[in-house]
Structure formats: structure tokens, C-alpha cells
Amino acid sequence: MIDRPVAIVTAAGKGMGAACARELASQGWRLSLLSPSKNCTELAAELSAIAQIGSVTRTEDLTRLVERTLAEYGRIDAVINNTGHPPKGELLAIPDDDWRAGCDMVFLNVVRMATLVTPVMEKQRTGSIVNISSLGAVQPSRKFPVSSCFRAGLAAFTKMFADQYASAGIRMNNVLPGFIDTYPVDADVVRDIPIKRAGTAEEVAKVAAFLASASSSYVTGQNIRVDGGYTRAL
């Protein structure tokens, strides 16, 4: 039991976060789950995990989650930073508060968590941080401008973090989902996907679990697309 690795998964109440939690649990990981709703409590009961209701935008919630995880398990081997969707709107009509909310939700959430868990992982000399990002990081879209901007910033942060902490045995990578069936996907969009279907949360979760595990020990600082071939950037 004590040899099983430990992972934190945020926004784990539903969708890709819940899929990541289930995939890791199926591979023998012990889990600590965060969600703004009681959904994570129900999932935690199913997976024999720690559950905490809270938000990735609140440093105090993340701090309590990390402290509870260490108190229960004594270590943190991986973090899956998942989150919700930031505000949308016409490019120059998006109010400042929405830009700030987007930064808080999809960029600073990773910075906050990295600040908390990096010292733990440095002592262990091992650890993996996996950020569930978006295809907007490499193919920005006016349909989701706030997400596109801050996901691109997250890619830069991830590379800098990876460079700085690789020698300490800590890795950070981003998973870039395309159009996933956790939300309705327009038929016109599906026609533009080479695989001709939306992805599933489970497909994203399998990639995230690989990056969290020692099987990806030589992979760091990368943006791994899970988009059925949709994005065109090389």
C-alpha cells in the first residue's frame, strides 16, 4: 500500500478531471481530489481517495489540499492540474475582470500549485506535474480568446519550469485536448477533425496518466496534443 504512488487531481468532479482520477486509480495510484462541487466527494468515496471542495483560484484551498495529502500519504508523486473553462467573448469586448478571471483559472492555478508542491518533490528527487491545457495554446482562436492567450503563456511557463527543475527530477508537461465530447461538438468542427469524431475524456486521461508516470521519465517541457489531428501547427 505505501509503495503506491500519490497524485493530486484538481477539478476532479466531472469531465476530464474525473476521467484522470479514474484512470490513475485503475493504475494503482492513491489520490487526493479537489472540486468546487460535492461531485469530488462522491468520486473520492468510489476511489477511496481524499476529497476537498475548493477552487484552483484560491491559494488557501490548494494549500489545504497539499497539506492534507502529505498528512495522509506522506508524499506527492504527481499533480494533474485540471480546471474549468475561462470566459469567452468578442476580442476587444472582453472586460478586464474576465481577463483576470481567465488568468487566475488557467495560468496562475498552475503557478500556485507548482509553488506548493515543488519543495516536496525536490526532497523526494522526483515528481511530475501535468497541466490539462487546450489546443488554443498552439492554434489560438477568436472563439476562445482568453483561453488561447493564457494557455500560450502556460506553455512558456511550463518550458521554463521544466528547464529549471529537470536536474531535481521534476518534470512538467501540458496536455492539449482538442474538441472533447464532455461538451457538445458542432458537426462542422467534426468534419475538420482528421479522425472525424470528437475525443473522449478517457482518451485525454490516458495521456495525462502516462505523463504523470515514470513511463514518461524522459519527457518534460512538452505540449502533447490530443486533438485527433485537428491543429495544423508543426
Side-chain angles (χ1 to χ4, degrees):
M1 179 74 172
I2 61 173
D3 293 331
R4 291 166 56 199
V6 175
I8 288 173
V9 184
T10 65
K14 61 181 181 179
M16 289 184 284
C20 287
R22 286 194 170 94
E23 180 63 29
L24 289 170
S26 75
Q27 295 182 21
W29 289 71
R30 293 174 289 171
L31 300 174
S32 190
L33 310 180
L34 178 76
S35 169
S37 75
K38 67 178 182 179
N39 290 344
C40 77
T41 304
E42 297 167 358
L43 181 60
E46 173 190 330
L47 302 179
S48 300
I50 292 171
Q52 180 176 311
I53 296 175
S55 170
V56 298
T57 66
R58 292 172 55 87
T59 300
E60 55 267 41
D61 290 347
L62 297 179
T63 300
R64 191 158 73 97
L65 180 67
V66 169
E67 289 175 348
R68 288 185 64 196
T69 305
L70 289 173
E72 177 70 20
Y73 300 132
R75 60 184 298 110
I76 298 171
D77 297 285
V79 176
I80 308 290
N81 285 311
N82 185 49
T83 187
H85 295 282
K88 300 177 183 178
E90 291 295 325
L91 186 61
L92 296 183
I94 299 169
D96 286 2
D97 284 349
D98 282 357
W99 285 107
R100 293 188 188 101
C103 181
D104 230 14
M105 180 181 290
V106 302
F107 178 74
L108 288 177
N109 66 312
V110 172
V111 178
R112 293 183 187 104
M113 182 63 83
T115 301
L116 291 168
V117 302
T118 298
V120 177
M121 293 177 173
E122 283 183 302
K123 290 179 182 178
Q124 297 170 175
R125 299 296 299 173
T126 185
S128 176
I129 301 174
V130 181
N131 308 316
I132 307 299
S133 182
S134 164
L135 59 83
V138 294
Q139 188 163 299
S141 170
R142 285 177 297 169
K143 293 181 179 178
F144 34 88
V146 175
S147 178
S148 294
C149 288
F150 291 115
R151 306 290 193 183
L154 178 58
F157 176 82
T158 295
K159 180 55 181 168
M160 290 186 288
F161 180 96
D163 289 350
Q164 182 164 342
Y165 290 100
S167 62
I170 307 170
R171 300 179 294 110
M172 181 182 283
N173 293 285
N174 297 326
V175 177
L176 276 52
F179 293 93
I180 305 301
D181 66 4
T182 50
Y183 288 88
V185 180
D186 188 90
D188 290 337
V189 171
V190 172
R191 280 192 288 271
D192 289 336
I193 301 172
I195 290 184
K196 301 302 180 188
R197 65 172 177 84
T200 68
E202 290 72 24
E203 288 172 317
V204 175
K206 288 182 183 299
V207 176
F210 165 72
L211 292 172
S213 74
S215 296
S216 61
S217 57
Y218 204 57
V219 181
T220 192
Q222 303 303 307
N223 294 298
I224 309 297
R225 286 174 255 181
V226 186
D227 66 356
Y230 181 84
T231 51
R232 310 312 304 160
L234 298 177

